Amino acid sequence: MQETDAKTYLEIDPTHLPEVWSWYGIGVFFILARFAVRLRTVGVSGFHGDDYLNIPFLILYTINLWVVQVTYRTGGNINVTPEMVPSLSDQEVATLEYGSKLEFMSWYTYPGSIWVLKFIVLFFYRRLTFGGTLRRRTLRTLFGLCGLSWMVLYLSITFTCRPFRNNWIVKPLPGPECTFRPQNFWILVCLNVITDAALLAIPLPILWHLRVSFRRKIGVGILLSSGVFIISSAVVRAITTLTGSPSIININRWGFRETAVGIMSVTLPILSPMATPEFWMKGPYRRNQYRAGSHHPNQARFGNWLGTMVLQYIDEQEGEPFKEPTLTKYLHDAGYPTELTERWNSSKGSSTSTGGAASINTMV
């Protein structure tokens, strides 16, 4: 496609495209590293929803990169002012309208990639099976909340600029609601922060019940609470974009920064096995062991160090995680069948609390 006259209306920033490509490369690296870790730890047969969702995320991420690459050279209706419109040639108008169409399309692909990250987190939480009817209901509610917020956002993008073609026309130049679209930024940041804050409803209560040192609680909290980092980047992006001058470069640059921070945050827990010696040993992967003398193969449903550590302290299959007077109440609250609780009751009379915890592992 013919490049427009850069001296007329286009912003020139030699650092823009290299930075965007760098963020894209970092994101792709984390995705490929994730697949490598999952293949090593659980194999293709052990993949779950959060693994498969990385594929549509990568597609949307790549489309966003293509849009940024093209619109940097074409510009869009956000780049021109009403005073400049009469002096534009037909070719320049056609080029600007083409760039405006791509930029408007990115309003669907960019939020789409952010919301895919939210569902990746939700599927990851579901694999951790934190236990308890309340938490399972909370998880289902969060799935519904994220889906509903996604639909609200897309409806606002579609219907806040009327007629629809004003999203890309240049002659006559529409108002800011169809060029800069500040209303979309406000709706996006509000829904983004609300849903990410809601996602913290799963890991934060878990941290309270962890019977580990405060330092380890902080470590687990950082890995599980990726929403904090995504909220921070979303707020910074919104403030920087809305307070600055309308600019395709500014919008796209901060969009890629936020997306890259998001994919890094949600992927870090999955990469945790790489920090263990078991991951680099030859032969089948064996999960990190927390009991001396334990050498059975990795059977963790989520196949990563974080999951194994959480399993050790809070999952339904290991140990005494909650500050409850008895494990009987914990088994009941976690949703185990009545017969399992009865088996525990029958064995607790002949076991100490330590031995009882071991018998729970045996029964499960």
Side-chain angles (χ1 to χ4, degrees), residues 121-363:
V121 172
L122 286 172
F123 276 102
F124 173 67
Y125 286 165
R126 191 174 75 169
R127 284 198 290 116
L128 290 180
T129 58
F130 288 130
T133 302
L134 178 60
R135 291 193 181 93
R136 287 193 287 269
R137 289 176 179 173
T138 302
L139 197 57
R140 288 194 294 267
T141 302
L142 291 176
F143 268 103
L145 175 64
C146 287
L148 179 62
S149 62
W150 177 83
M151 289 189 290
V152 170
L153 176 60
Y154 274 34
L155 288 174
S156 68
I157 293 170
T158 303
F159 294 108
T160 52
C161 171
R162 309 302 298 172
F164 191 71
R165 66 185 300 268
N166 278 3
N167 284 289
W168 58 79
I169 66 171
V170 176
K171 282 186 175 182
L173 189 67
E177 72 278 1
C178 299
T179 56
F180 184 44
R181 305 178 184 92
Q183 73 280 0
N184 290 350
F185 282 104
W186 285 114
I187 295 173
L188 172 63
V189 70
C190 290
L191 293 177
N192 206 1
V193 170
I194 290 172
T195 51
D196 285 339
L199 291 180
L200 299 178
I202 294 293
L204 291 185
I206 294 299
L207 295 177
W208 175 257
H209 293 290
L210 277 178
R211 303 187 63 179
V212 295
S213 65
F214 180 72
R215 185 179 66 176
R216 181 168 286 184
K217 281 188 178 183
I218 293 177
V220 178
I222 291 174
L223 288 175
L224 286 179
S225 304
S226 58
V228 173
F229 301 99
I230 301 177
I231 288 173
S232 302
S233 60
V235 171
V236 170
R237 188 231 179 180
I239 293 175
T240 305
T241 303
L242 290 169
T243 57
S245 59
S247 164
I248 281 184
I249 287 181
N250 197 34
I251 293 172
N252 292 340
R253 170 181 281 144
W254 278 99
F256 252 88
R257 288 172 177 172
E258 179 187 358
T259 309
V261 170
I263 190 61
M264 287 188 288
S265 300
V266 303
T267 306
L268 278 175
I270 308 299
L271 302 184
S272 52
M274 299 179 71
T276 64
E278 289 82 2
F279 182 83
W280 304 101
M281 292 179 179
K282 293 182 179 180
Y285 172 73
R286 298 171 182 270
R287 77 181 184 190
N288 190 28
Q289 302 299 325
Y290 290 89
R291 292 187 180 88
S294 180
H295 300 291
H296 43 83
N298 174 34
Q299 295 178 350
R301 286 163 292 174
F302 26 78
N304 67 71
W305 169 85
L306 172 65
T308 302
M309 191 179 77
V310 173
L311 185 73
Q312 172 72 17
Y313 293 102
I314 64 174
D315 192 66
E316 299 169 3
Q317 294 192 14
E318 303 253 359
E320 181 184 353
F322 295 113
K323 300 171 183 177
E324 301 287 355
T326 65
L327 285 181
T328 304
K329 186 178 186 305
Y330 164 65
L331 288 172
H332 176 75
D333 292 343
Y336 278 107
T338 304
E339 57 268 22
L340 182 59
T341 306
E342 292 175 350
R343 288 172 58 190
W344 165 245
N345 282 328
S346 65
S347 64
K348 68 178 182 178
S350 58
S351 304
T352 63
S353 60
T354 303
S359 66
I360 278 290
N361 295 328
T362 303
M363 288 188 292

